[in-house]
Amino acid sequence: MMSDVWEPLTKELDRWQKAGEVAAFWLRDDDAVEPTAELIRLLDLADRHEIPVTLAVIPVHTGTVLADFLETRPLIEVAVHGWSHTNHAGAGDKKQELGAHRPAETVLTELKSGFAKLEALHGKRFRPVLVPPWNRITPSLIPELSRLGFQALSAFGPEETAPLPQINTHVDLMDWHGTHGARETSALVADIVKRLRQMSETGGVMGMLTHHLVHDAAGWAFLAEVFEITARHPACRWTTLADMLLQR
């Protein structure tokens, strides 16, 4: 039997169904490099419910092993997760790879290389979308991304008007500043419901952010339950990055 903690989500989806609407959900998982046991666990769980996953892949640390593994995973897409996921910020500053701490051309040259490498490795799975490490990028770089081939930017939080379309995530599974494990289920459910209510007014998608390498038992349990509930509800549809790019 479903726990009462999930009731706000099912009630909100029921409200969407009554209104004749379908809410689009999207899953982005960060820091993929190779087919670790944790990544396989995530993809198997998503496959069980036919849920597409966008992997934000770190270009410098990946290669043919991941590309070959994903050949049998038709629901997986690949986006560019910076270049090396290296923090170039100073002590005491928020971590950032794509900041103003280095010459802009140095950063852009790395991103161009990352784009080319992942496009060559992943072909039809590749999406020309930049996912900044730590979800941070200096604003002055954004107008330059389109000349590198990027069609969208994906960070965390509400989408903003920018020189490049944004396809963001909105609910982060992890408690980065506290336990470093999964956040409380009740808080995650509340954030999903809050986002759905925003969407009912303004449109958009409900972007879920995960980090397969650091999930604890509570995180895996949450994903199993939220996948089960949403996959079977007629007012929910898990969408792909490719579909969202077509709508831009």
Side-chain angles (χ1 to χ4, degrees):
M1 180 178 293
M2 183 182 63
S3 168
D4 288 345
V5 74
W6 292 96
E7 188 176 2
L9 175 57
T10 57
K11 282 187 173 180
E12 180 63 19
L13 291 174
D14 289 346
R15 186 179 71 83
W16 278 67
Q17 183 181 9
K18 186 176 181 180
E21 302 290 339
V22 176
F25 281 58
W26 173 57
L27 178 61
R28 194 189 91 205
D29 182 82
D30 286 2
D31 302 343
V33 170
E34 59 185 352
T36 60
E38 295 87 354
L39 182 61
I40 294 169
R41 182 175 182 177
L42 174 68
L43 300 189
D44 284 349
L45 183 59
D47 277 350
R48 203 170 302 149
H49 301 285
E50 299 184 339
I51 292 174
V53 180
T54 296
L55 295 179
V57 177
I58 305 170
V60 77
H61 298 306
T62 196
T64 57
V65 175
L66 179 62
D68 291 345
F69 169 75
L70 294 179
E71 282 295 329
T72 59
R73 302 277 184 163
L75 294 178
I76 306 306
E77 301 171 292
V78 167
V80 183
H81 200 24
W83 169 241
S84 63
H85 212 298
T86 300
N87 176 31
H88 295 284
D93 293 337
K94 290 183 177 180
K95 292 180 179 180
Q96 199 166 2
E97 180 175 60
L98 310 181
H101 312 90
R102 299 181 295 156
E105 281 308 314
T106 299
V107 179
L108 293 170
T109 296
E110 289 181 349
L111 291 178
K112 182 178 180 180
S113 297
F115 185 109
K117 181 176 181 179
L118 294 187
E119 183 179 37
L121 281 170
H122 293 281
K124 63 183 181 180
R125 284 186 303 277
F126 177 76
R127 303 292 176 258
V129 174
L130 175 63
V131 179
W134 298 286
N135 291 297
R136 299 184 185 113
I137 182 170
T138 191
S140 61
L141 290 176
I142 298 176
E144 306 299 323
L145 297 177
S146 59
R147 69 178 172 89
L148 303 183
F150 289 104
Q151 295 179 14
L153 181 72
S154 180
F156 181 81
E159 285 81 359
E160 300 175 355
T161 301
L164 201 67
Q166 293 186 2
I167 303 173
N168 286 354
T169 54
H170 311 92
V171 177
D172 191 341
L173 176 68
M174 302 301 298
D175 179 10
W176 295 110
H177 303 294
T179 65
H180 295 277
R183 296 168 58 214
E184 291 289 337
T185 296
S186 58
L188 289 165
V189 169
D191 281 355
I192 294 172
V193 170
K194 179 180 178 181
R195 175 61 184 166
L196 289 173
R197 289 177 179 167
Q198 291 171 344
M199 289 163 54
S200 67
E201 300 293 332
T202 64
V205 301
M206 207 314 291
M208 174 71 69
L209 175 58
T210 61
H211 289 75
H212 63 277
L213 290 173
V214 294
H215 292 174
D216 57 4
W220 290 116
F222 173 85
L223 288 176
E225 190 70 25
V226 77
F227 287 174
E228 175 71 25
I229 291 169
T230 55
R232 70 172 184 244
H233 201 290
C236 176
R237 173 179 61 89
W238 285 88
T239 191
T240 65
L241 187 53
D243 283 347
M244 290 186 288
L245 285 171
L246 288 174
Q247 295 169 15
R248 299 292 157 177

